[in-house]
Amino acid sequence: MDNVQLAKDCVRLVGGKDNVATVTHCFTRLRFQLKDKSKADLEALKELDGTLDALEVGDQTQVIIGPQVNEVFKEVEKVVGKSVADPTPVKDDAAAAADGAADADKKGLSVGKLLDIVTGIFAPVITAITAGGMVKAALLIMGLFGLPTDSQEYYILNFIADSVFYFLPILLAFSSANKFGCNPYIAAIVGGVLLHPNWTALVTANEPVSFFGLPVTLYNYSSSVLPIILTVLFMSFVERFAEKVSPNVVKAVLQPLLTLGITAPVALIVIGPLGSIIGGFLASVLSFLDTNVPVLVPTIVGAVCPLLVFAGMHLAIFPSLQTIQVAAQGYETVCGPGMLAANMAVAGATLATAFRVKKPKNREMSISTGITALCGITEPALYGVVFKFHKPLVAGMIGGAVGGLFAGITHLKRYAFATPGIPALPTFMGDDPNNIFLAIATVAIAFVVAFVVSLVLGVDEDGAAKQSA
């Protein structure tokens, strides 16, 4: 497959580079934000050599590529340019109204738009979160093989892994600014304000603080999510106000001064505490579910995760909740346990399909995508096999629900973030030494149940071929 040609074809079929507002990617798909979605030819995108599917989710036009999406994305950027807001934007009122939060004002904030905003904020930072999680997992393995926890090597590797989560507000500030259409560099500075050592010293001292007579509530914003997202949303309005009131002759210096000078104090006095209160409430809800009905979330996630991944909405739901829970408890049960069961169930249902199909092409697809699913990347299996033959989807959802039920009953925890799969099993290693064995058991149960059910149900290979024809 020629990635250069594939990238050009994708851009052409979404309406050309002039129709692309922004483009990002996750592990397997290109996520286009188009100025006019009606110009995208989804059917033609589906037929391209190198794509698995194409669909509209909320305000995004998504093209599913597979694990090689990063290489294709690089070529797409060469065609459309990097999707980063102009550091010194000068927009008229109409253009500003079309961007980020202003667009939400004009059309109303629907559930679909809200999920699209959250997805657009978290998708660009997932790779960084995964990197930190896998370093943490590698460190745990090194500890098992004799690396002393009081050694300098352990100390350095540990803060390398933790830095991703500690400075998460800065990462989210940058991606939020791109989503809301404001300056990402000033947004990153605001994120840095929330983490500045002097602010941390005030929080640690825990003495009354005021700003021009206004009381300042002290919160620790490291690893937080909602405070910075809400702050950058507010900043998008401040930036447009600053642009309007700044004379052209001094706009280059007055606009950023007003933007930062207004946003940062408001963040510390109002928005940051508000976001922390909301985050604390969500953490309490998750803690309540974790304590009183621990089987609920993993079972549901195990069953419906293939549907969420198929629609590309898993990034809109899981990252913020699991980050809030890890910050509050040191582990998470929102995504990891249930999604581990779901991914292994998809792998089991897909590999079982290889024993029931007759056409060599379908068998080869089932084996290759099933192995990829074992590593946690399920989109190729979902688009190439599971949804194509329908019955493996039923098997996968049953296996995921059973595996998730076991994970809930045993209170399986995940201590670090990575795409749930066999290579990421070390992220289930933590304070509880038995937790990793529960994770392995979850893998086995979900895989075996889905494999057996898929074998029993079989596939309608001829019907699937007619439907796709």
Side-chain angles (χ1 to χ4, degrees):
M1 179 183 63
D2 184 353
N3 290 334
V4 175
Q5 187 59 47
L6 178 58
K8 291 179 179 178
D9 289 340
C10 286
V11 173
R12 173 175 57 83
L13 293 173
V14 297
K17 68 176 183 178
D18 292 336
N19 193 40
V20 177
T22 62
V23 57
T24 57
H25 73 95
C26 54
F27 286 115
T28 57
R29 63 189 76 196
L30 298 171
R31 296 171 178 264
F32 289 95
Q33 192 87 20
L34 303 180
K35 299 173 183 176
D36 184 355
K37 292 192 296 185
S38 65
K39 293 182 179 181
D41 189 340
L42 295 181
E43 294 304 317
L45 284 166
K46 294 177 183 179
E47 297 300 320
L48 286 178
D49 180 23
T51 65
L52 297 171
D53 206 346
L55 64 159
E56 287 185 356
V57 180
D59 283 350
Q60 287 187 349
T61 300
Q62 300 181 1
V63 183
I64 293 83
I65 304 292
Q68 70 276 18
V69 66
N70 188 49
E71 286 73 20
V72 179
F73 174 74
K74 291 178 182 177
E75 299 301 329
V76 169
E77 279 200 320
K78 292 179 182 178
V79 178
V80 303
K82 291 186 179 295
S83 294
V84 177
D86 186 348
T88 54
V90 179
K91 307 171 187 172
D92 57 27
D93 291 345
D99 278 332
D103 187 58
D105 285 343
K106 185 174 69 173
K107 297 180 180 179
L109 187 60
S110 64
V111 174
K113 182 176 290 293
L114 179 61
L115 292 176
D116 174 68
I117 290 172
V118 177
T119 302
I121 290 171
F122 277 95
V125 304
I126 287 297
T127 302
I129 294 174
T130 300
M134 292 309 295
V135 171
K136 180 74 77 173
L139 184 59
L140 291 170
I141 294 175
M142 294 168 68
L144 289 177
F145 282 90
L147 180 66
T149 57
D150 58 353
S151 66
Q152 291 183 346
E153 290 78 12
Y154 190 98
Y155 180 82
I156 292 174
L157 287 173
N158 192 49
F159 76 67
I160 288 174
D162 287 342
S163 65
V164 177
F165 305 101
Y166 184 89
F167 294 106
L168 184 61
I170 295 178
L171 299 178
L172 292 176
F174 200 91
S175 62
S176 297
N178 285 328
K179 190 62 183 176
F180 295 134
C182 54
N183 190 306
Y185 303 100
I186 294 181
I189 292 173
V190 175
V193 169
L194 300 182
L195 301 174
H196 195 282
N198 289 355
W199 172 257
T200 303
L202 291 175
V203 174
T204 303
N206 197 27
E207 297 177 354
V209 175
S210 64
F211 184 77
F212 289 108
L214 297 174
V216 179
T217 306
L218 300 174
Y219 279 100
N220 184 355
Y221 296 110
S222 64
S223 304
S224 63
V225 172
L226 292 179
I228 191 60
I229 293 176
L230 295 176
T231 295
V232 176
L233 175 61
F234 171 74
M235 175 185 146
S236 67
F237 293 99
V238 173
E239 186 175 85
R240 288 196 296 276
F241 165 78
E243 181 183 347
K244 288 181 179 179
V245 301
S246 300
N248 288 334
V249 66
V250 292
K251 187 185 294 287
V253 292
L254 185 58
Q255 182 182 351
L257 168 63
L258 291 174
T259 302
L260 182 60
I262 295 173
T263 302
V266 172
L268 293 174
I269 297 170
V270 180
I271 302 177
L274 175 63
S276 295
I277 292 171
I278 297 173
F281 172 75
L282 291 175
S284 298
V285 171
L286 295 174
S287 178
F288 174 84
L289 294 175
D290 190 42
T291 302
N292 296 278
V293 279
V295 301
L296 181 64
V297 174
T299 304
I300 293 176
V301 171
V304 305
C305 192
L307 303 178
L308 296 175
V309 174
F310 179 82
M313 298 311 298
H314 54 300
L315 293 181
I317 299 173
F318 295 139
S320 57
L321 294 177
Q322 66 191 22
T323 303
I324 289 171
Q325 191 178 31
V326 166
Q329 299 181 181
Y331 63 84
E332 67 95 9
T333 58
V334 174
C335 169
M339 199 168 184
L340 177 67
N343 289 352
M344 296 305 98
V346 168
T350 303
L351 289 172
T353 303
F355 291 90
R356 297 302 304 266
V357 293
K358 298 177 181 178
K359 297 179 180 179
K361 180 180 179 181
N362 289 334
R363 184 176 297 109
E364 181 181 331
M365 174 69 74
S366 299
I367 294 173
S368 62
T369 59
I371 293 173
T372 302
L374 286 172
C375 296
I377 307 298
T378 58
E379 278 95 335
L382 290 174
Y383 290 99
V385 177
V386 172
F387 279 87
K388 178 181 179 180
F389 296 115
H390 307 305
K391 291 180 181 178
L393 173 61
V394 176
M397 293 181 70
I398 292 173
V402 174
L405 178 63
F406 173 82
I409 292 173
T410 58
H411 203 213
L412 178 65
K413 309 177 187 71
R414 184 169 66 156
Y415 297 94
F417 300 147
T419 303
I422 290 178
L425 280 176
T427 60
F428 292 87
M429 298 167 61
D431 296 335
D432 182 359
N434 293 321
N435 197 69
I436 182 63
F437 300 108
L438 297 177
I440 294 172
T442 299
V443 168
I445 291 170
F447 181 90
V448 171
V449 170
F451 189 93
V452 171
V453 173
S454 187
L455 279 180
V456 172
L457 293 179
V459 294
D460 182 6
E461 195 170 9
D462 294 331
K466 291 178 182 178
Q467 195 173 51
S468 62

